[in-house]
Amino acid sequence: MIKDLVASLDYSLCAEIALGLFVATFVVIFYGALRLSSDASERFASIPLSDQVEDPRDE
Amino acid sequence: MATVTANGAQDSAPSHPDSTGKLEHFRYDDQIVRMFLMATIFWGLVATLVGVVVATLLVAPSLSMGFPEINFARLRPLHTNAAIFAFVGNGIFAAVYYSTQRLCKTRMWSDMLSGLHFWGWQLIIVLAAITLPLGITQSREYAELEWPIDVLIAIVWLFIFGGNFFMTLLKRRERHMYVALWFYIATIVTVAVLHVFNNLAVPAGWLKSYSIYAGVQDAFMQWWYGHNAVAFFLTTPFLGLMYYFLPKAAERPIFSYRLSIIHFWSLVFIYIWAGPHHLHFTALPEWASTLGMLFSIMLWMPSWGGMLNGLLTLRGAWHKVAVDPILKFYVVGITFYGMATFEGPLLSVKAINAFSHYSDWTIAHVHAGALGWNGFMLFGMIYWLAPRIFQTKIWSPRLVGTHFWLGTIAILLYIIPIYAAGFVQGMTWLSLDDTGNLSNPEFIKTVESVIPLWWLRVLGGLLYFSGVVMLAVNVMMTWIGRPDKYEDPVFSAPALLPISDEDEVPAKSDLDDVPVLELGKKLDLFGKMGWHRRWERLPVRFTVLTTLAVVIATLFELIPTFLIRSNVPTIASVKPYTPLELVGRDIYVSEGCYNCHSQMIRPFVAETKRYGEYSKPGEFIYDHPFQWGSRRIGPDLAREGGLRSSFWHWTHFENPAFSTPSSVMPSYEHLLTEDLNFKAIAPHVEVAAYLGAPYSEEELANVESLARRQAEEITADIVQQGGPASVHEKQAIALIAYLQRLGVDAMKTDTPAAAEETAPAAEAPAGEEAAADETPTEDASGNP
């Protein structure tokens, strides 16, 4: 039954849906990442250099 | 965080005691890092040495001296497994155990699990080193190990390593999960998913199993796994390593945290789709192959995002690179990452893949990645870690510099000739003359032309191995110079309290007091990445989201590939292998013939002229596992059935030089002398039947007698052709039975019922039907 159901679908849509999913996710993350505050970005980037606890709540 | 030495003296004041409560004291477990570091070096020596041996055996096969255990085809998987899972694997674990403890400000959750992980992983490597030369293999690239070892891998990786890692994340004292940890999460989750689903198999004994997938679907699963093993074993953990150890070595923060977010999610989301580019122009459905190509091209962006983030981290520190060999290792390593990840999408473009596939171009590409990216990143890490975890100075900084230059020259000396060999192969295989015939009809000529280049590869490999010897000596001498007792500092950090609502950041938009639509305020809040920052504090949610990114992409490809019948049109004349052919196929698998011979004729003029009718998806429905191969050192065998006499094959196994004087194929004389265990065939046939091969009750009840009868017929043929008598019990006969069957069924026409009664298909001499009619039987849908 599942085979029949899937067989009746137009699977060529998979590529388009996949691309759409990726583009949507990418745009959201790209937009968000660009708007991340410089202060937070710099502090998170320095985490491996520091042996101090990095706590974002200090912002 | 405060540091307290072993004698109790506190180095600095504790930080944030008010925000997170009571101070806790802990020590890091560096002993497990030392163990994995030493294992990395040991297996690095083994992997590169076996690589040199394998490269030498390829050009001088007689050096195996008739021992099948040290033939090229059996040792090549040992080399790849040793390089990937032993050398790189242990290196990853050393990096993860060192950096995770420091990034989480906690000791690993369980020392016992850490120890079990180390010894369990070494046991797996030793089992691989024993079984692969013995020919115990699934013959699926980078997933060759048989099912009991696969079960052990799943337990050690997921439950022991994964369990310990995720519990450490949950028990951490650092609220924020740094980007390196994201890459480790993606690695652990995805490798587990890949390993489990690719290795689903039905056992036919303790040392033999049949993949539950067949033919096209098996090829799809294998390269979904194979490609993503490169992605999530050889790439993502190394990016995590880069994000932690490069800033440490350069004493600079990473160039862009924003870029790391973008390239992490893009990489995780895109990589998983790209596997089908390994199967261009094969019997894989066109849509899947195109999808693989598109996503491979898209993959170029996040890959270079990672590379640029790494290289630009050195902004302002290039003067250090000039004098610090550790940074030099990183710079060259990251540059090779950039090169390999530019070349990967290039090779996935169909027009280029048509030329490069099956050739040495692929070998050069993977070695640029393995030797340059993986090797050099690990060397950089080892040289940085060794003095710290052994608490002494590196024995010889000068030797580090020598290793760097030797290794760099070695890589170039290795890959440049192999790229050249790939171009020579691509051109000579495909070129046609003015009359439309093959310019180089004899395959052996294409092999002869690249042998000098293969010798240069041996030299390059030797140099690279020499560099690893230098590393081993340097680290060993550093270890000898360690203090009598390691200092074991006690660190202090406040416990991490559960996240409260006030901790959720940011809660306020800058536009709150501005007369704009609510939507604008929400967008502003969204853009502050508070949602992502929350994810970075929630390991379970982060892991679930990463898993979803990987699994959803997989399902989009997997479901149509498996469930839509038109992807694999059936061919009525394709029948299951006879018991003797099935066991002959097992011998083919065991001997590693797929390492040199493909069984997939692509729909190119040159290939169909050289080998015959191109391969169809429906031909492989009884192939558990598929045997399409990934390179051609010898000619394709997809239409081998009936092309040559059985005695020709017999003499070919005995000494390939009889028929092809300059052949690089080793002798398989042991197959001519070792007996076949006819009594052991039945379980194999039963599993084949269980997986869908339509054997009759009578066939299942008489497996041994059917196999013996066919063996006697082949022996009679051999005797008639001037060969030896009384050899029907030898393993070579079974292998000949399989080779004589290859590609025959698809060329058959339906035999009239009356004729079938007098000459049952199973008893007809293989190959005769092929000559009768070369028109494949088509299914009802008209697909060939």
Side-chain angles (χ1 to χ4, degrees), chain A residues 11 15 18 22 26 28-30 32-33 35-36 38 44-46 48-49 51-54 56-59, chain B residues 1 16 20 105 174-175 178 247-248 253 258 262 266 270 273 287 291 298 503 524 526-527 529 533 537 564:
Chain A
Y11 60 87
F22 169 74
F26 182 80
V28 167
I29 291 182
F30 192 77
R35 294 214 51 203
L36 186 66
S38 298
F44 294 158
S46 304
L49 296 177
D51 283 335
Q52 300 298 313
V53 174
E54 293 292 327
R57 285 173 299 170
D58 288 354
E59 273 189 289
Chain B
M1 185 172 63
H16 321 300
T20 51
K105 303 293 183 292
E174 179 80 66
R175 180 76 76 199
Y178 178 64
K248 282 280 192 194
R258 297 183 180 104
I262 296 168
S266 306
I270 297 177
W273 297 86
W287 68 268
L291 193 69
M298 286 160 64
D503 299 330
D524 182 58
F526 184 81
M529 290 291 276
R533 296 257 290 284
R537 298 165 171 200
I564 294 177

Side-chain angles (χ1 to χ4, degrees), chain B residues 387-556:
Chain B
R388 286 166 176 81
I389 58 173
F390 296 127
Q391 298 177 4
T392 183
K393 285 183 177 174
I394 195 88
W395 179 62
S396 170
R398 195 170 176 171
L399 200 57
V400 180
T402 310
H403 178 193
F404 168 77
W405 286 110
L406 190 72
T408 306
I409 294 166
I411 297 173
L412 296 176
L413 193 57
Y414 183 107
I415 62 172
I416 292 172
I418 300 304
Y419 275 118
F423 281 109
V424 170
Q425 288 166 333
M427 284 190 293
T428 51
W429 289 345
L430 296 176
S431 67
L432 302 173
D433 62 21
D434 292 340
T435 62
N437 288 313
L438 291 170
S439 301
N440 306 282
E442 287 184 65
F443 188 89
I444 190 64
K445 296 290 177 196
T446 70
V447 177
E448 287 170 355
S449 59
V450 298
I451 284 178
L453 299 168
W454 285 350
W455 275 115
L456 281 175
R457 181 217 333 237
V458 174
L459 188 60
L462 259 178
L463 283 188
Y464 196 85
F465 171 67
S466 308
V468 183
V469 172
M470 288 178 185
L471 169 86
V473 170
N474 212 348
V475 174
M476 186 56 67
M477 295 307 290
T478 305
W479 176 76
I480 288 171
R482 72 194 184 283
D484 292 337
K485 194 167 181 241
Y486 290 119
E487 232 181 77
D488 193 10
V490 178
F491 297 89
S492 300
L496 199 60
L497 297 177
I499 297 172
S500 64
D501 287 344
E502 297 91 66
D503 299 330
E504 301 292 348
V505 287
K508 195 168 176 296
S509 164
D510 296 336
L511 303 176
D512 275 357
D513 302 324
V514 180
V516 294
L517 291 174
E518 278 301 310
L519 180 67
K521 293 175 185 175
K522 282 181 181 167
L523 266 177
D524 182 58
L525 264 180
F526 184 81
K528 287 177 183 292
M529 290 291 276
W531 45 279
H532 198 273
R533 296 257 290 284
R534 273 196 287 278
W535 295 358
E536 292 167 34
R537 298 165 171 200
L538 302 169
V540 176
R541 186 180 299 184
F542 200 93
T543 305
V544 169
L545 288 168
T546 307
T547 311
L548 278 177
V550 170
V551 171
I552 288 173
T554 299
L555 291 177
F556 263 92

